[in-house]
Amino acid sequence: MQFGVFTIGDVTADPTNGTTPTEKQRIDAMTQIALKAEEVGLDVFATGQHHNPPFVPSSPTTHLAYIGAKTSRIPLSTSTTLITTTDPVRLSEDYSFLQNLVDGRMDLMLGRGNTGPVYPWFGKDIRKGIPLAVEHYHLLRRLWREQNVNWEGTFRTPLHGFTTTPAPLEGVPPFVWHASIRSPQISEQAAYYGDGFFHNNIFWNKEHTAKMVGIYRRRFAAYGHGGADQAIVGLGGQVYIADSEEQAKREFRPYFDNAPVYGHGPSLEEFTDITPLTVGTPEMVIERTMQFADWVGDYQRQLFLIDHAGLPLEVVLRQIERLGSEVVPELRRRMEARRPGHVPSDPPTFASLARAKRDGKNLAHFRVSPGEAQEQSEHE
């Protein structure tokens, strides 16, 4: 199973001393976080894509390429790539180029984006978010799998004999996760293609998270990709680790109370009660994270948010060290001990997909037609 960290790249004042990092300092800090994640043996580093203050990661491929040159092992991902407001032609070439640069050591997570003003900035209508996500991804898949693409849709000019350059490494497109926190249509999209589904459950109660993942699992099976428990699932989460729960809450509370993501709302105690946020000892983090599998079934990727809300870089790096030495090894052991043998322990990687291609296996999952799958769904 993969364990890693993701960042949203917010530039936020430290509420304990009022200092605010510059944008460059925040970008450099995100790089240091990725390097530390590899150093301590984590499996994934992922960065978001934002185009509005207080966030800085507007060009994830640029940053991941730079990180890729400074690392040798850790897979790189996004959290998320905006499939709605980014041209799929641009996505196909940018991420294919990145994949070639880092020798396949990457995948990407696609999301719609929830910041209303960003849509018109890139010439899109937020009211068309779902149709944009569906059409753009359908085109992106073709661009990665066909040499000469002729295409006409609703949201961009037609293509005539277009070829993505460079092509995906060894003809193997990057593995894709579809991320959504509230849209069943995205669960459906992930299931239809047999791709991964990522639910960033840092905001939501377990019932909502279980419902969204359950939709994806049932539809994954309906489309003929395998059993529902074999679907490829990833989850978000957030932790703050200290030697005692009292210490953890005392240190983290000022940051929680001022967080741009969820501050100024429920109290820290209320939020930790109803969401996966865990503020406490390493064992508390382990026990709480193990509950995620009880909610959604055995899954393949767990990413933790640990660096937002103005937390100083030195604090974040210590958190990563504790995550890598005191939490993740035990989580690996327990997660694999409970996992049935027929359930994948890892998501597809470039290595596994390339090996399947070399062995002559069909990389495309068998799909029933959408009409047949709808009929199956209606009878479930």
Side-chain angles (χ1 to χ4, degrees):
M1 183 172 171
Q2 293 182 339
F3 293 93
V5 293
F6 74 100
T7 180
I8 57 174
D10 60 307
V11 179
T12 305
D14 184 332
T16 66
N17 58 28
T19 60
T20 303
T22 65
E23 290 179 326
K24 174 175 172 48
Q25 287 172 333
R26 189 66 174 99
I27 293 168
D28 290 345
M30 292 161 61
T31 302
Q32 291 304 310
I33 288 166
L35 300 183
K36 177 62 71 171
E38 174 167 271
E39 177 188 319
V40 304
L42 298 185
D43 304 303
V44 186
F45 170 80
T47 178
Q49 178 185 351
H50 298 279
H51 300 277
N52 55 294
F55 307 101
V56 294
S58 58
S59 183
T61 50
T62 303
H63 197 186
L64 291 177
Y66 181 74
I67 292 169
K70 289 178 168 290
T71 56
S72 61
R73 182 195 60 81
I74 192 167
L76 308 172
S77 190
T78 56
S79 61
T80 61
T81 298
L82 300 181
I83 185 64
T84 47
T85 53
T86 310
D87 182 8
V89 173
R90 183 77 267 173
L91 289 176
S92 71
E93 295 195 327
D94 281 353
Y95 284 94
S96 182
F97 200 106
L98 174 64
Q99 185 200 37
N100 278 269
L101 275 177
V102 300
D103 298 322
R105 190 165 42 99
M106 55 78 67
D107 56 37
L108 72 160
M109 187 191 303
L110 300 176
R112 289 188 294 129
N114 299 311
T115 306
V118 173
Y119 280 75
W121 292 344
F122 290 88
K124 306 300 180 185
D125 183 346
I126 193 172
R127 294 170 296 183
K128 304 292 185 181
I130 293 292
L132 276 164
V134 172
E135 181 175 295
H136 278 186
Y137 182 59
H138 179 66
L139 175 56
L140 178 61
R141 284 183 63 87
R142 288 191 59 191
L143 291 167
W144 275 338
R145 289 164 172 80
E146 300 176 28
Q147 186 170 6
N148 296 294
V149 175
N150 297 302
W151 179 89
E152 185 171 346
T154 302
F155 299 109
R156 60 152 292 133
T157 55
L159 297 174
H160 301 288
F162 180 82
T163 300
T164 291
T165 54
L169 182 62
E170 298 182 23
V172 178
F175 182 72
V176 168
W177 301 82
H178 300 260
S180 179
I181 55 177
R182 65 178 184 275
S183 301
Q185 299 95 327
I186 302 303
S187 301
E188 176 78 14
Q189 183 183 41
Y192 177 71
Y193 291 107
D195 295 335
F197 178 70
F198 189 91
H199 191 273
N200 188 11
N201 57 326
I202 63 174
F203 304 109
W204 297 92
N205 59 49
K206 63 182 180 181
E207 291 81 9
H208 176 82
T209 300
K211 179 180 179 181
M212 288 292 293
V213 174
I215 292 169
Y216 163 67
R217 287 191 183 279
R218 291 191 297 273
R219 303 303 290 148
F220 181 95
Y223 283 119
H225 302 304
D229 59 352
Q230 295 175 308
I232 307 300
V233 174
L235 296 180
Q238 188 186 2
V239 299
Y240 186 87
I241 306 167
D243 292 335
S244 69
E245 181 179 5
E246 179 184 6
Q247 178 190 355
K249 288 184 174 180
R250 182 178 66 252
E251 293 175 355
F252 186 64
R253 190 181 303 278
Y255 299 97
F256 175 89
D257 289 345
N258 289 277
V261 176
Y262 48 51
H264 314 288
S267 70
L268 175 60
E269 285 73 17
E270 290 170 330
F271 211 84
T272 53
D273 183 54
I274 64 175
T275 77
L277 172 63
T278 308
V279 182
T281 65
E283 184 58 31
M284 290 174 64
V285 172
I286 293 167
E287 292 293 338
R288 190 68 178 278
T289 306
M290 288 302 302
Q291 292 177 11
F292 297 178
D294 294 332
W295 304 346
V296 306
D298 296 287
Y299 61 111
Q300 287 73 33
R301 174 176 284 185
Q302 174 65 55
L303 299 183
F304 295 106
L305 174 64
I306 58 172
D307 74 319
H308 80 125
L311 281 163
L313 176 60
E314 59 271 20
V315 172
V316 174
L317 296 181
R318 287 199 298 270
Q319 290 287 305
I320 294 174
E321 288 176 352
R322 301 196 73 166
L323 200 64
S325 63
E326 301 175 55
V327 173
V328 166
E330 181 62 12
L331 278 175
R332 289 192 205 281
R333 187 189 69 79
R334 295 193 194 183
M335 286 290 188
E336 294 314 308
R338 61 156 286 159
R339 187 186 305 274
H342 68 284
V343 174
S345 59
D346 294 302
T349 63
F350 172 78
S352 67
L353 293 172
R355 184 166 55 250
K357 182 179 180 181
R358 289 193 296 269
D359 292 344
K361 296 179 181 178
N362 184 3
L363 297 183
H365 291 290
F366 169 75
R367 287 202 305 264
V368 299
S369 71
E372 292 172 327
Q374 182 62 36
E375 290 178 6
Q376 293 180 23
S377 177
E378 291 171 354
H379 291 293
E380 288 179 352

